[in-house]
Amino acid sequence: MTFSRTLLYAAAACAAFAPAALPSGTATWEMSSYNDFIKGRFTGISLSREGRLSLAPKVDTVFSSDQPVIWSAAETADGALYAATGHRGRVYRVSGGQTTLVWTAPEPEVFAIAADRSGAVYAGTSPDGKVYRIAGGKAAEYFDPKARYIWSLVAGPDGVLYVGTGDQGKVFRVTAAGKGELWYQTGQAHVTGLAVDPQNRLLAGTEPNGILYRITAKDKAFVLYDSSLPEIRAIVPMTDGTVYAAALGGSVARRAQSAAQAAQGAGAGGTSVTSSVTSITVEAQAAEIKPPDPGKQQASPLPAAAQPAATPFASVTDTTGIDKSALYRINPDNTVETLWSSKDENIYDVLALEKQILFSTDEDGRIYGLTPDRRVTLVTQTSEGETVRLLAGEHSVLAATGNQGRIYRLGEGPGAAGSYEAPVHDSGTASRWGSLMWRSDTPSGAALRFRTRSGNSAKPDRTWSDWSEPLTAASGSPIASPNARYIQWKADLTGAGGATPSLDSVTLAYLPQNSPPVVRSINVTTQAAPSLQAKAASAATASYSVTVTDSDASTAGTTTQTLNRAATQQITIVWVADDPDNDRLVYNLYFRGEDETQWKLLRSNLHENSITFDADVFADGKYFFRVIASDREANPPAYARDATLVSSPVIVDNTPPAVTMGASHRTGATAHVEWEAADGASALRRCEYSLDANGWVPVEAADGVIDSLREKFTLDLTALAPGEHLLVVRVADSAGNTATAKVLLK
């Protein structure tokens, strides 16, 4: 049995759908690859590795239970299907279109079910459960492993039943009712998967170290693979000695928690359980847990006579360790290859068909296919929470699901119709929609129609527009959905005569609304002119000297040395601005005085966000600066946007204070001096005096605080030596301008 769908690789994460356009121009949202399409919603649609959508195999519902999940399923020799459910511990029989509730277990969960060649069905219950044998419509206790959980069952060709348990990770071999023995103790917490290979050797997958064992005899096993993922969930042995194994990030804890919840409050229709149940939390560990008797952990050689046929499945790059789940191939020579891995999906089951491998995941119950040429296809999506089991039926595949416990049948040919719903696209702002274009192959009689809808909430809800009328012009159909920030499209595919249309790419054009720029801050500072800063620093600390020679005494006069001001002041204005559309901005800078009404242009068409100029171009006073940012160079004039910000008031003060000496008098060794200081632009901040060119000594204002435009000062000096004394006072304003005055005390 084969499927005609082309298969594709599903491990890569979806790329973000960013507009591919220049800022503020027409943008496009294009979907043309697997990574683009995989995040959408599939209803009866397959997706190929090349990124092609087509109709999926026809899916029919075989069985729909009222249970939340079907944990396991098994098919008997007569074609009857048995389904084990949670959380009421029910086992159903599906045959000939009829569904029968066969048995309700005393425990709430039936995690495992298996059928032997005679047609008998075995069910393992949890928690603190037993193995029951169901035959002739009746169930009877078959074996009690005295284990907390029974995770897996498998019947060998010789009629022997193997039981995988937790939370002590034991495997039991049961030959008849009540007759079972401990076959192998793994040292792991749980035995999560069992299978018997064509050589009648038992394969056991475990958790939490993700170890796959091959058990050849009592207490004798060989580790086939030690996965970096916590749980080996599904095992498929092939006739040539190859083994396929699915590993995932650990689902035992979730199933155990389900059992605990069900046990604590069994609903109507289920048997009440009184035993105390606790949930298990399992974490992945790097180290392998050895069996209790390491001396018996010996390799089991491959049969020398067996010449395994080569399997056609090629491997892809092994990226386990950072992935959520993986599909492995263990070759007959015990080498291991990773065929598929995913960072987003948990793989639950594997089914080997004649020419491909199917596997199922928890991403909307998806079913993928892997072909010999290493192509992975999304075969179909059940749209359930997870597809937990896959079985090969006659001319079909059966899929059991969780979230809603159902069994679906996948047919050979494509369904009659299907639809694909693209993920929601965020254009970033309110946008004007253009046209929708696509590339497709539509056979005669088949149909491909598109619809769109839009809204301003991130998820479609009642505020979104209705789906539009069908769009049918592949070269460009105008989008009728209202202008908005978010948009979505849907494609409806209809087949004809067994042929399916296919869709390769879709491009949606739109014009985002031009968002205005934002000016976030303006900062105005003053400093010495760069060319004079070094001189200014030197002037503050340098010593000046005048050298007088003998010849100077004979001249009529001496030259007066002028000490120049250290540096002129400069104003630097820095602003921060940005544009949501990443448009290049151009700036105009304006100013006005406090008592002025009109703004004057200082600089225009600036692309830098700072400017420096001499402060003395302004007279003393209070000024405001305004920055206007514009995206006019990136947009047509009709769509250009501006933004404005005005600075806090800035005081420009280039004039030092005026110092007026007042009354002064000296009496012997004491002196009293008075003076006033005033500034026309900024408040005074500091006053100090120097006596006979000694160090500066601070002086307080007459009112105690130097904080006004005008201040009075008084100074009393004592212990003056006889003779003249030079008193110099220095006053500074808020801008750092200083003025001095002197008085000679006689």
Side-chain angles (χ1 to χ4, degrees):
M1 184 193 77
T2 61
F3 285 89
S4 59
R5 304 282 72 81
T6 306
L7 307 178
L8 67 91
Y9 182 71
C14 251
F17 299 117
L22 295 174
S24 298
T26 299
T28 58
W29 170 33
E30 183 176 359
M31 296 180 64
S32 60
S33 69
Y34 174 84
N35 287 343
D36 294 337
F37 287 117
I38 193 61
K39 287 297 184 183
R41 184 174 179 83
F42 299 80
T43 303
I45 297 294
S46 288
L47 174 61
S48 74
R49 179 69 180 100
E50 294 75 21
R52 182 176 297 114
L53 297 174
S54 58
L55 290 174
K58 182 180 180 182
V59 176
D60 297 315
T61 302
V62 175
F63 167 60
S64 181
S65 71
D66 60 351
Q67 307 301 295
V69 63
I70 295 176
W71 290 123
S72 185
E75 190 173 18
T76 57
D78 61 358
L81 185 66
Y82 286 80
T85 68
H87 306 297
R88 296 180 180 178
R90 293 178 175 178
V91 176
Y92 294 87
R93 183 179 187 272
V94 182
S95 179
Q98 301 295 319
T99 299
T100 305
L101 174 59
V102 176
W103 176 61
T104 300
E107 292 76 32
E109 306 294 335
V110 183
F111 287 135
I113 195 167
D116 64 15
R117 291 185 174 182
S118 69
V121 175
Y122 302 90
T125 62
S126 295
D128 298 322
K130 301 174 178 64
V131 178
Y132 296 86
R133 186 175 188 269
I134 303 172
K138 296 181 180 179
E141 182 180 324
Y142 189 69
F143 178 67
D144 184 1
K146 301 190 183 307
R148 190 70 162 167
Y149 301 99
I150 299 174
W151 299 121
S152 50
L153 298 173
V154 66
D158 54 1
V160 172
L161 181 70
Y162 294 96
V163 182
T165 67
D167 50 6
Q168 295 181 1
K170 297 178 179 179
V171 178
F172 294 88
R173 182 176 186 269
V174 185
T175 57
K179 295 182 180 181
E181 61 178 328
L182 177 60
W183 193 240
Y184 189 74
Q185 186 166 347
T186 64
Q188 298 285 292
H190 306 279
V191 178
T192 52
L194 290 174
V196 177
D197 69 12
Q199 290 77 36
N200 203 26
R201 297 173 298 188
L202 182 65
L203 303 175
T206 61
E207 204 260 7
N209 291 110
I211 298 176
L212 176 61
Y213 296 89
R214 181 168 61 210
I215 305 171
T216 54
K218 179 178 172 61
D219 295 329
K220 185 177 181 180
F222 178 78
V223 174
L224 279 179
Y225 187 54
D226 185 353
S227 171
S228 60
L229 292 167
E231 179 182 344
I232 300 293
R233 177 64 181 272
I235 308 165
V236 179
M238 308 297 288
T239 56
D240 65 354
T242 300
V243 176
Y244 294 95
L248 67 161
S251 65
V252 164
R254 183 179 61 82
R255 286 185 287 165
Q257 185 177 19
S258 298
Q261 294 171 346
Q264 290 170 357
T271 304
S272 176
V273 178
T274 59
S275 60
S276 175
V277 179
T278 57
S279 63
I280 295 174
T281 300
V282 180
E283 297 181 355
Q285 302 174 12
E288 177 182 340
I289 300 176
K290 301 294 184 181
D293 187 354
K296 296 184 179 181
Q297 182 78 356
Q298 301 172 0
S300 176
L302 291 172
Q307 294 293 332
T311 55
F313 294 91
S315 65
V316 296
T317 302
D318 189 344
T319 57
T320 55
I322 59 174
D323 294 312
K324 190 173 181 179
S325 66
L327 174 62
Y328 305 114
R329 181 181 67 189
I330 298 96
N331 298 311
D333 62 358
N334 294 340
T335 58
V336 180
E337 298 171 278
T338 301
L339 302 178
W340 177 90
S341 63
S342 174
K343 299 177 180 64
D344 304 309
E345 302 178 47
N346 271 315
I347 181 171
Y348 274 12
D349 203 12
V350 181
L351 176 64
L353 301 178
E354 181 181 353
K355 294 184 179 179
Q356 64 177 323
I357 298 291
L358 297 183
F359 57 95
S360 61
T361 75
D362 60 353
E363 182 70 23
D364 292 320
R366 289 176 176 173
I367 300 173
Y368 295 93
L370 175 66
T371 58
D373 58 356
R374 206 179 63 183
R375 293 179 181 272
V376 178
T377 293
L378 173 59
V379 175
T380 193
Q381 178 173 298
T382 64
S383 297
E384 301 292 350
E386 60 225 357
T387 296
V388 295
R389 287 290 181 265
L390 296 171
L391 297 93
E394 186 176 359
H395 304 299
S396 64
V397 167
L398 301 176
T401 65
N403 191 22
Q404 284 298 319
R406 295 190 175 99
I407 296 178
Y408 295 93
R409 177 185 289 111
L410 281 63
E412 284 274 355
S419 66
Y420 172 79
E421 196 172 292
V424 172
H425 178 68
D426 181 5
S427 68
T429 183
S431 298
R432 178 179 300 174
W433 311 123
S435 298
L436 190 75
M437 297 160 283
W438 62 89
R439 288 190 298 108
S440 64
D441 181 13
T442 307
S444 176
L448 178 60
R449 292 181 175 85
F450 285 82
R451 301 174 188 268
T452 63
R453 62 178 177 178
S454 60
N456 285 306
S457 57
K459 293 184 177 181
D461 55 21
R462 291 183 299 175
T463 66
W464 275 52
S465 67
D466 294 332
W467 288 108
S468 68
E469 292 298 316
L471 309 178
T472 57
S475 59
S477 293
I479 298 172
S481 298
N483 296 340
R485 174 173 175 174
Y486 301 95
I487 193 166
Q488 187 182 33
W489 58 262
K490 179 173 70 171
D492 295 315
L493 285 72
T494 304
T500 171
S502 61
L503 177 64
D504 294 293
S505 70
V506 179
T507 301
L508 188 151
Y510 60 94
L511 180 65
Q513 172 184 305
N514 182 29
S515 300
V518 179
V519 183
R520 301 192 180 278
S521 64
I522 301 175
N523 185 36
V524 183
T525 59
T526 60
Q527 69 280 325
S531 61
L532 298 175
Q533 284 178 353
K535 293 181 180 179
S538 175
T541 59
S543 299
Y544 294 93
S545 64
V546 176
T547 303
V548 180
T549 66
D550 292 341
S551 62
D552 293 333
S554 62
T555 60
T558 59
T559 302
T560 301
Q561 181 178 358
T562 302
L563 303 181
N564 294 325
R565 183 176 178 180
T568 60
Q569 293 292 306
Q570 289 189 321
I571 295 176
T572 296
I573 304 176
V574 179
W575 55 92
V576 177
D578 54 65
D579 188 88
D581 304 321
N582 295 320
D583 291 340
R584 186 188 187 194
L585 297 179
V586 60
Y587 307 101
N588 285 353
L589 178 63
Y590 297 82
F591 76 94
R592 69 172 177 84
E594 182 182 28
D595 56 349
E596 300 169 6
T597 59
Q598 294 183 350
W599 291 99
K600 287 83 175 174
L601 180 64
L602 185 61
R603 297 287 191 278
S604 63
N605 298 323
L606 295 170
H607 292 99
E608 299 78 16
N609 64 340
S610 66
I611 185 175
T612 299
F613 52 90
D614 290 340
D616 55 11
V617 299
F618 292 106
D620 291 356
K622 187 180 292 185
Y623 292 86
F624 297 88
F625 296 93
R626 182 175 72 169
V627 173
I628 298 180
S630 174
D631 61 6
R632 62 178 180 270
E633 293 183 347
N635 294 276
Y639 296 100
R641 306 290 296 274
D642 294 340
T644 301
L645 186 65
V646 177
S647 72
S648 300
V650 177
I651 294 177
V652 175
D653 185 0
N654 295 314
T655 305
V659 181
T660 304
M661 301 303 298
S664 64
H665 57 84
R666 177 180 175 182
T667 305
T670 64
H672 178 81
V673 183
E674 297 178 359
W675 69 92
E676 292 185 3
D679 194 276
S682 60
L684 302 177
R685 284 291 180 261
R686 188 175 73 256
C687 182
E688 50 201 356
Y689 76 91
S690 172
L691 183 64
D692 295 334
N694 286 303
W696 293 102
V697 180
V699 180
E700 69 178 12
D703 61 4
V705 180
I706 304 175
D707 60 353
S708 302
L709 293 174
R710 181 180 296 273
E711 296 283 358
K712 292 182 177 183
F713 301 91
T714 61
L715 177 64
D716 291 303
L717 299 173
T718 61
L720 293 174
E724 291 183 344
H725 294 279
L726 178 64
L727 176 70
V728 177
V729 297
R730 183 169 67 182
V731 180
D733 61 18
S734 299
N737 301 305
T738 61
T740 59
K742 70 176 183 176
V743 63
L744 187 63
L745 301 176
K746 298 181 179 180

